[in-house]
Amino acid sequence: MGAPNTTRDTDFAKLWAAASTSLLGDGIRTAALPLLAAALSPTPAAVSIVTFAGTVPILLFTLLGGALADRHDRRNLMWRIDLVRGLLVAAFAVWVLTTAPPLWGLIVMTFLLGSAGAVFDTISGPFIADLVDPDDLAKANGRLQAAQLISFQFLGPPLGAALFALSAGAPLLVDAVTFVAAAGLVFAIRARHAPARAEVNTTIRADIAEGVRWLWRHKGLRLLALELGVANLAVQMALTMLVLLIVNTLHAPAAVYGLVLAIGAVGGMLGGLAGGWVRRRLRLGPGLGLAIGLIAVGLLVAGVAWSIPVVAVGYTIGCFGILLWNVQAVVVRQRLTPRELMGRVTSAYRLVGWGAGPVGAALSGVLGTVLDVRAPIIIGGVVLALSLLLVPRLGALEQA
């Protein structure tokens, strides 16, 4: 039997509070790490390598996270991972506060943190379905999207940039505290959710293969994952060089980088609010096409920008499109995926959809070095515009 509604509501409130707290730390770190990388070695290659180290674990550990999510108590996995992440960031913060670490130290820390995050993110998505009734998934995801916008994009980046201006280690120390606090909130969730598969007689490898096969055979979700992969490739190419465009090319102080990220969050909030309106008035294919088109326009505007306000406008348009995509795509995926396969299919979807991010980060460093820091941003916009050719086929998900 499921937990009573009052328990479900209380447990989701704790999960929402944990996500909001952890996302605030993520936002702080998102602004601080590129600034730290640029301070240690102000080159496109250095920033690219650090970004690559943080995103490549998606390729290495996402499928493992999905298998673990379907085998074990997701709550226990989540609070333990958050605690480990908190201790890891705290140790690195002490290193930064006491001496200037070498670039390789930042790369190793970013890789370890990204590895834990790849597993955590694959588990947290299915855990929402454990706590929330199917009819309330859209509302629950909307609340979590709002938390991501406010904490991760709006509050976190300017706070991270401001803390970095005071001390390079300060934003990392605050990030560590948010991880530990989030771990405590998840630990406090009262309901215990049995694994989706009560009896497991297969290997981890077989479990992973089952989830991958299911996604690959579902033509609609497979195409949705592929389009997400193209989008993440393009966006990561652009975002990796954004810090150097703002700080080095346009000669703005570090705090302005965080401010641009926060302004973009306003666009994301508006995109999240507009998602429901667009969904009611457009079919799924045109709605997703509108989202991709706006992201492409945003990247192109930012890539050719001659001033910080124009960069902010482009970034804001792109964030609007990203949230417009998320509102439509996440619920479709959760609705179509069987509960007993939720973790493994989610991990396979994330591998395809988010696994292109490290490739984008690596390409960004190469293009930024060979050409200039604007090139990856502009090329990312062109790639996204070309990907609109895939969008009409996504309309089949409407009837799935």
Side-chain angles (χ1 to χ4, degrees), residues 32 40 67 84 90 191 261 317 319 362 366 381 392:
L40 294 175
V84 169
L261 298 185
I317 294 171
C319 288
V366 173

Side-chain angles (χ1 to χ4, degrees), residues 332-346:
V332 170
R333 173 173 56 79
Q334 290 177 333
R335 177 172 58 84
L336 295 177
T337 304
R339 182 182 181 275
E340 66 275 11
L341 288 169
M342 186 70 75
R344 286 165 288 163
V345 172
T346 298

Side-chain angles (χ1 to χ4, degrees), residues 180-198:
V180 175
L185 286 165
V186 174
F187 180 79
I189 291 176
R190 291 179 295 170
R192 297 295 182 267
H193 298 274
R197 306 169 70 219

Side-chain angles (χ1 to χ4, degrees), residues 5 8 128-141 331 334-337 339 342:
N5 285 337
R8 282 177 174 267
I128 298 170
D130 288 340
L131 298 181
V132 177
D133 291 326
D135 292 341
D136 294 328
L137 274 174
K139 180 180 178 181
N141 280 298
V331 174
Q334 290 177 333
R335 177 172 58 84
L336 295 177
T337 304
R339 182 182 181 275
M342 186 70 75

Side-chain angles (χ1 to χ4, degrees), residues 216-390:
W216 192 252
R217 289 170 182 169
H218 196 293
K219 293 181 180 179
L221 285 183
R222 181 180 69 197
L223 186 61
L224 191 70
L226 289 172
E227 176 62 35
L228 178 61
V230 173
N232 272 309
L233 172 74
V235 170
Q236 196 62 64
M237 283 175 60
L239 293 186
T240 299
M241 289 298 107
L242 186 64
V243 64
L244 293 180
L245 174 64
I246 292 172
V247 175
N248 287 3
T249 303
L250 298 178
H251 307 292
V256 171
Y257 173 64
L259 182 61
V260 170
L261 298 185
I263 293 171
V266 176
M269 292 177 194
L270 295 175
L273 293 173
W277 186 89
V278 169
R279 188 70 187 94
R280 290 191 298 270
R281 286 161 178 78
L282 295 178
R283 296 179 67 83
L284 185 63
L288 292 175
L290 176 62
I292 292 296
L294 287 171
I295 302 170
V297 169
L299 295 188
L300 291 171
V301 170
V304 301
W306 60 90
S307 67
I308 295 297
V310 179
V311 173
V313 168
Y315 183 69
T316 301
I317 294 171
C319 288
F320 183 97
I322 290 171
L323 265 292
L324 195 62
W325 167 279
N326 286 348
V327 168
Q328 298 174 85
V330 170
V331 174
V332 170
R333 173 173 56 79
Q334 290 177 333
R335 177 172 58 84
L336 295 177
T337 304
R339 182 182 181 275
E340 66 275 11
L341 288 169
M342 186 70 75
R344 286 165 288 163
V345 172
T346 298
S347 67
Y349 179 89
R350 286 181 57 83
L351 179 66
V352 177
W354 292 89
V359 179
L363 284 174
S364 185
V366 173
L367 293 170
T369 301
V370 174
L371 301 174
D372 60 51
V373 298
R374 293 180 183 272
I377 305 174
I378 295 171
I379 293 171
V382 172
V383 168
L384 266 176
L386 292 174
S387 77
L388 286 169
L389 296 172
L390 298 174

